[in-house]
Amino acid sequence: MVRTNEPVQAARLPQRRSGSPGADRLKGFVALLAILAIVGGVPYVLLRFFGTPWPDTMPSKSMLFSELSVETVLGIIAFFIWIAWLHFVVCLVAEAVAEIRGLGLSPRVPLGGGSQVLARRLIGTVVLIAAGAGVSLPVASAVTTSGPAAPTSVSVQHESSGSQFRQTEAASTVLSGSSQHSKTSVGVRTNNDHKGQVVKYTEVRPPSGRNYDCLWDIAERYLGEGRRYKEIYDLNKNKLQPDGRRLTNPDLILPGWQVRLPADAKGPGVHTVRVSIGDHTKSTVSTKTTKSTTETRTAVKPKVTVENKTETRTTPETKTTGPGRFSEQGMEKPSSIGIGSAKNDPGAKNVKPGEPSVTVEPHAPGAGQSEHGEPAAGGTRVPEATPVATDDGISLQEAGMYGFGATLLAAGLALALKRRRGWAQGPGPKAAGHRQTEVGLRLASDVPTAQFVDNSLRKLGADMTQLQRPMPKVVAALVTDRALTLVLDPYGAQPEPPGPWQAIADGTRWTLRRGYGPTGEVNAPAPYPTLVTVGQNADGATVLVDLDAANGIVAFGGVNNASRDVVGSLAVELATNLWSEGAHISMVGFGDDLSSLAPARLSYWVRLDDAMGEVVRRTEAQVQACQRRDAGSVAEARMTHPDAALWGPEVIFLSAPPSPEEQDQLNRLAADTKRSISVAVVGDVLNSPWRFVVDEKNQAVCRLLGLEVDAHSVNPEQFADLVALFDAAEADARDKRRSEQDMPAYEFSTMDLSRPAPVEVDLLGPVEVDARGVIDDGRVALSTEIIAFLASQDYGVHPNVLAGAIWPRGISQELRDAALEHTRRWVGVDAMYADESGRWMLNRSVVRVDWDVFRTLAKQASMIDDPRGPLSTALSLVHGPAWSNLPGGRYSWLAASGIERRMAEAVVDAALRLAEASLNHNDGAMARTALQTGLSFSPASEELWRATLRLAAHFGTTADVTNVAGQMYAALTRHGGPRGPEAETDALVDELLPGYHRPAQVA
């Protein structure tokens, strides 16, 4: 069972103030005199003037009714003074015993309050007498936290010359959140050299016997003077720690806390982070100017260097046993991994494709952001920016419904939802009650970026395998709108990247400009299936980390509820994203069962023992396969012997830290190179190689990686909404009834397809608008969406409804009208207008919409004996998968319009009718073309696939049927539902191909 470890006892620190030894002795003697005066002087005065606290004679009954004298009142007051004095003496004794024996924090005296605090201060001040005389104090003497491992720390160097650094730490581009949302400034002593500001920290050691680590010990150990503990306390006051607590009292620190140190700290156990400070003066670093404001943010260029003191180096595929490779060795080494900005890496601006076939002029050094006329990603020219007085949809730099950087998470969910619907693609009638959830999901998703990351990584793996080079060990990845950057494992030599990938930052990073990424789907195994998004950094880049690179438990401590939401989002993303094929996600001890989101990938467990047993059983096949193939690791075999079902990773998510015995077992499994197992835990684990701290604002910090992001997360309410949405989608997918389509009033209007229309709108595939007017490039995407929305409305739409669909987050009437006017000028004033009631619509006599023509031809085909002519013309309008090029954060109105499902129904029906009519005339070629066209639009339609199988069996050979069956199962695996093909489909394959071996299902 998963259980939370017992909290350890806090350490206690004498309250010392820095000063000269003479002053310390004087303060100590004054405190000693005060104690003597209280302990001896107070009872002397009370005995001298008031006598003993008990009465001289036994009280009688008459005293209760007699008049109180002055002496009696004074006696009562003296009695309570005696009680207060005795209580204070007890506090003094308790504090003195705790100090002498070094027991840590003294027991709390009942009703102590201020009395015990005063006693503690007096005892602590008396101890300064011994400190001034050079006598060692009986404070904690801790031991090291781990055995030998690779020495690590973080070093991020600023290479810009002429930079100015302040005396206090400003918002760092590596160790701070987004400057647009938080202005963090922590005072810290720094050497302020030309390389940047040094930030150092250490971890509080566990207790040794009855001795506990304390701030005094830490100051003495790393600063050479215990009395400087106050500086450490000031640096860490109110800072969130991995266990969810904060340092509010210098007496109270816990083992495993990560304590910030002054810049002159040195010694074993010190992690070093070198960061540059925001410089508002003119510099060679890149400057980002926002049109809507006058703020200028200077982006800092981190240079990552990594040093390793150990003699042996590990290969990129080798995992080490014992402590993690990124854990503390016991000696200070100012270097490790720094996950900062991708666009500010040295040389990133000058990256050029390495392939000879690509002819692009070298990029001249310039600002980090695209300027007018400067080559942008992909070698294209950046057009002149024109202010757009409209809401440009959702900004991917802003937090969506799942938090910062959740575009890839939402993209995976959106694609999984589409696969769940299968042939229908769009929402059906049962999803009507969950439209708002789907609207938010579509707004947050960025499917093109997810496809870019997936195809780029697969292409990289294929190229490296073809060149017979080992895959680099990737620790993290940074995704921007311009490039994908891989942060490599700093230990060991890395191979050369294939073109157009470029090695930058001294070979510690590989980057691929987005314009040079693969243009189509790449049929190759995914090399990094455990790469998962954690959030967005200060530069707006989406940060992903590879859980497998940790070689141990990845802990998410801090605020427990926030950490749980972040870890839950990681599990859901790994269960739904494109590059985690074959992965099995085991969620242990979480409150809700989320397996319905991805039944083939995600499973829910109550007990850790049960989950580990299943994981070990599945990975045993990997161990045996590595032995048979003589492969050193699963990562190596994954590329040389592709089999997503066999080499799929096992990822375990725990809702609470496991017991020590379970930790050891999980670490051994994660370190086994012949098993692909990763573990993430909600809560702090002291020996974890990667320890994230998540605060109440969902900021996640991993100090060892030099990483701080605004994390994305999914709370329980959002999980419940998603589960309900997916359940409704599955119910719609099982419902094969076609909906009755109401044909528009212009159903018999015809347009000569041989001639171009003044305005053409293509919806049967990637959305395209061909207009003759002029429009600024910055307005094209928004205007295209407006035209597509109006094209989906047969009878026009009220402007308020249009605004709610295009701008679901709201927009002013002035900006709405301006956007409509710009769009109208683009397509022509006669092509788009508002009628007398104010409803906006397209003039169908001027604007040709392929969806309108398709429905008209389909209606005509139903009224004649030989429908081949109209149906073939209608299917010729289909030019690819529907709605496949949608930009991130747009077209959320598709969740409520139902046009996706109506299009899929119409195209599938037309393809089946044309194929049947063609077979009646013994025209197999036209039948095959019709079915292939329908499958290009709806690749998960099993009706079309079954018809294709029958067609191949009728006109072709057994080899043709086998080829079609392989294509079908591959398409259904990629585009179909998670529960596999329908029983009818498998039965047909068994009938046509007896003994056919169906490929393993890989979600």
Side-chain angles (χ1 to χ4, degrees), residues 102 107 149 318 340 481 545 712 790:
T318 303
D481 55 351
V545 296
H712 65 61
L790 292 177

Side-chain angles (χ1 to χ4, degrees), residues 46 49-51 68-82:
L46 292 174
F49 295 100
F50 300 96
L68 294 177
S69 62
V70 176
E71 290 79 11
T72 303
V73 174
L74 294 177
I76 294 173
I77 295 175
F79 174 80
F80 284 104
I81 295 177
W82 276 107

Side-chain angles (χ1 to χ4, degrees), residues 189-345:
R189 290 179 50 168
T190 174
N191 54 5
N192 288 333
D193 58 15
H194 68 284
K195 295 180 181 179
Q197 177 183 8
V198 172
V199 177
K200 298 183 177 182
Y201 75 94
T202 188
E203 290 188 359
V204 179
R205 295 175 175 178
S208 174
R210 300 181 67 91
N211 295 325
Y212 291 81
D213 206 2
C214 59
L215 294 185
W216 182 284
D217 280 351
I218 293 174
E220 195 172 59
R221 190 161 59 237
Y222 300 126
L223 303 178
E225 177 56 67
R227 285 175 293 183
R228 291 183 61 185
Y229 79 90
K230 187 64 175 178
E231 300 178 37
I232 302 177
Y233 174 68
D234 291 338
L235 288 176
N236 296 275
K237 187 177 181 180
N238 293 325
K239 291 295 187 296
L240 184 68
Q241 295 297 330
D243 61 356
R245 308 185 187 185
R246 298 180 185 271
L247 178 58
T248 58
N249 190 328
D251 283 349
L252 302 175
I253 62 174
L254 294 174
W257 279 15
Q258 296 174 335
V259 178
R260 192 79 167 268
L261 299 174
D264 57 344
K266 58 183 178 181
V270 174
H271 298 276
T272 302
V273 181
R274 190 183 300 277
V275 297
S276 297
I277 304 180
D279 181 15
H280 298 282
T281 61
K282 185 177 181 180
S283 175
T284 59
V285 296
S286 61
T287 302
K288 179 179 180 180
T289 304
T290 304
K291 292 291 182 180
S292 59
T293 64
T294 59
E295 283 188 343
T296 301
R297 185 177 73 171
T298 303
V300 186
K301 178 167 59 178
K303 175 183 178 182
V304 181
T305 60
V306 179
E307 304 173 19
N308 191 355
K309 195 91 175 182
T310 56
E311 294 295 333
T312 60
R313 290 182 179 270
T314 56
T315 61
E317 287 82 9
T318 303
K319 296 182 182 179
T320 60
T321 58
R325 296 171 55 185
F326 303 103
S327 60
E328 182 63 33
Q329 173 86 3
M331 58 180 59
E332 178 186 1
K333 204 67 179 176
S335 61
S336 181
I337 304 168
I339 304 175
S341 170
K343 59 187 177 184
N344 296 319
D345 279 327

